[in-house]
């Protein structure tokens, strides 16, 4: 992630009460403008809510959310995503997760391809409408190829218009992870916007699969007792105030 650091790019990390060695490591990372250490776990709800608040505070044009298992391999591509969005107002965001249009079967979660890229595989349809993807080319930006389609919103790495992100972030009690992503997904669909796709991507999901042995988050949240987890928006807001503003 340090490759993304520039003067006009504010970067922060929110930590959900990791072990002390992880906290020490995060504080040693020179590229973060701020390191926020929470003593409670508010899942992805906290950094997404705070990201939206910081974007409005700083007057940011674009936002990007990443988890700790995101690895940036082409930071040079990201500014071209800004150009793409400025020239394509019909798109609300650009997916920058690793993806190759000419080899899309490797990234299709439902394809049955034995060589599927498990860390980066996705469903090749719109989850809200159940419609298949309809692709259209977009003008290249620099050496990078872009496409448009009718994909739903995803929490995987992307570059999103800050004004669109603001409309999606819930201000009510909401479940984390899949529940939060689903809430934002439905709002994005209601906006009637297309999705941009950076061919080749710029970030890889550095995780081998979505089973209990590969992910503690999957083990605790999906593979556990399946009790419904709800994050209180009031508690979340109070924690952000305590952690970020003393």
């Amino acid at each position: 992630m340090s490759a993304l650091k520039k003067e006009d790019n504010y970067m922060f990390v929110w930590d959900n009460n990791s072990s002390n060695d992880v906290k020490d490591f995060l504080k040693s990372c020179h590229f973060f403008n701020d390191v926020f250490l929470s003593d409670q776990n508010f899942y992805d709800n906290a950094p997404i809510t705070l990201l939206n608040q910081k974007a409005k505070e700083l007057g940011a044009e674009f936002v990007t959310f990443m988890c700790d298992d995101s690895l940036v391999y082409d930071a040079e591509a990201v500014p071209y995503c800004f150009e793409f969005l400025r020239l394509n107002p019909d798109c609300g965001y650009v997916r920058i997760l690793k993806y190759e249009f000419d080899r899309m079967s490797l990234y299709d979660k439902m394809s049955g391809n034995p060589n599927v890229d498990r860390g980066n595989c996705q469903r090749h349809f719109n989850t809200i409408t159940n419609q298949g993807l309809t692709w259209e080319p977009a003008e290249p930006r620099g050496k990078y190829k872009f496409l448009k389609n009718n994909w739903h919103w995803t929490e995987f790495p992307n570059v999103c218009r800050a004004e669109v992100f603001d409309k999606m972030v819930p201000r009510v009690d909401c479940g984390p992870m899949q529940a939060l992503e689903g809430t934002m997904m439905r709002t994005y669909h209601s906006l009637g916007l297309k999705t941009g796709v950076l061919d080749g991507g710029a970030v890889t999901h550095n995780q081998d699969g979505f089973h209990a042995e590969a992910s503690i988050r999957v083990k605790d949240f999906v593979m556990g007792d399946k009790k419904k987890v709800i994050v209180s928006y009031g508690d979340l807001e109070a924690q952000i105030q305590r952690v970020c503003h003393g």
Side-chain angles (χ1 to χ4, degrees):
M1 294 183 187
S2 62
L4 295 175
K5 184 57 186 172
K6 294 185 177 181
E7 288 187 7
D8 61 350
N9 184 19
Y10 170 82
M11 297 177 66
F12 75 88
V13 60
W14 175 280
D15 177 78
N16 280 313
N17 199 24
S18 295
S19 57
N20 288 332
D21 58 330
V22 172
K23 293 177 182 178
D24 290 341
F25 168 73
L26 293 176
K27 288 186 285 187
S28 75
C29 293
H30 65 278
F31 54 93
F32 289 125
N33 294 82
D34 285 305
V35 176
F36 299 118
L37 304 176
S38 174
D39 59 3
Q40 299 179 55
N41 183 8
F42 284 93
Y43 300 91
D44 49 344
N45 301 54
I48 282 180
T49 299
L50 181 57
L51 176 59
N52 189 47
Q53 293 178 0
K54 286 292 184 179
K56 291 194 286 186
E57 175 187 321
L58 298 170
E61 187 177 6
F62 305 106
V63 297
T64 295
F65 169 74
M66 293 187 188
C67 290
D68 56 359
D69 51 10
S70 296
L71 177 67
V72 179
Y73 59 83
D74 191 356
E76 293 181 4
V78 175
Y80 291 98
C81 296
F82 305 157
E83 289 187 21
F84 170 84
L85 286 171
R86 290 174 183 137
L87 293 172
N88 293 273
D90 56 341
C91 292
Y93 80 104
V94 181
R95 290 185 177 218
I96 60 174
L97 185 69
K98 183 183 177 185
Y99 189 84
E100 299 168 277
F101 180 75
D102 293 334
R103 302 205 299 167
M104 63 172 61
S105 67
L106 296 180
Y107 304 93
D108 186 348
K109 184 179 292 188
M110 316 301 288
S111 69
N113 187 326
N115 298 315
V116 68
D117 185 339
R118 298 192 182 279
N120 296 297
C121 61
Q122 304 154 66
R123 291 181 174 85
H124 279 52
F125 57 87
N126 185 300
T127 298
I128 302 300
T129 65
N130 286 321
Q131 293 178 334
L133 301 183
T134 55
W135 296 87
E136 58 183 288
E139 185 176 340
R141 309 310 310 163
K143 65 180 181 180
Y144 296 99
K145 176 182 176 182
F146 290 86
L147 303 111
K148 302 180 189 180
N149 65 18
N150 57 324
W151 238 330
H152 50 264
W153 164 263
T154 177
E155 200 173 278
F156 279 121
N158 65 73
V159 176
C160 185
R161 300 181 192 277
E163 60 184 1
V164 172
F165 195 73
D166 180 49
K167 294 175 182 177
M168 290 190 288
V169 176
R171 276 82 161 174
V172 295
D173 297 354
C174 181
M177 294 186 284
Q178 291 94 335
L180 175 60
E181 185 178 46
T183 298
M184 297 177 72
M185 192 183 296
R186 289 186 289 273
T187 302
Y188 188 80
H189 179 71
S190 71
L191 298 176
L193 293 167
K194 297 178 182 178
T195 294
V197 180
L198 170 65
D199 192 19
V203 180
T204 186
H205 181 207
N206 198 23
Q207 175 181 311
D208 183 20
F210 298 90
H211 49 86
E213 289 72 27
S215 171
I216 293 176
R217 284 177 292 179
V218 172
K219 181 178 181 180
D220 289 348
F221 187 72
V222 179
M223 308 296 289
D225 60 10
K226 298 186 182 297
K227 66 180 180 181
K228 193 170 183 63
V229 178
I230 297 294
V231 175
S232 163
Y233 183 70
D235 291 345
L236 170 58
E237 275 287 302
Q239 183 72 348
I240 287 177
Q241 287 299 314
R242 284 193 295 269
V243 173
C244 302
H245 306 293

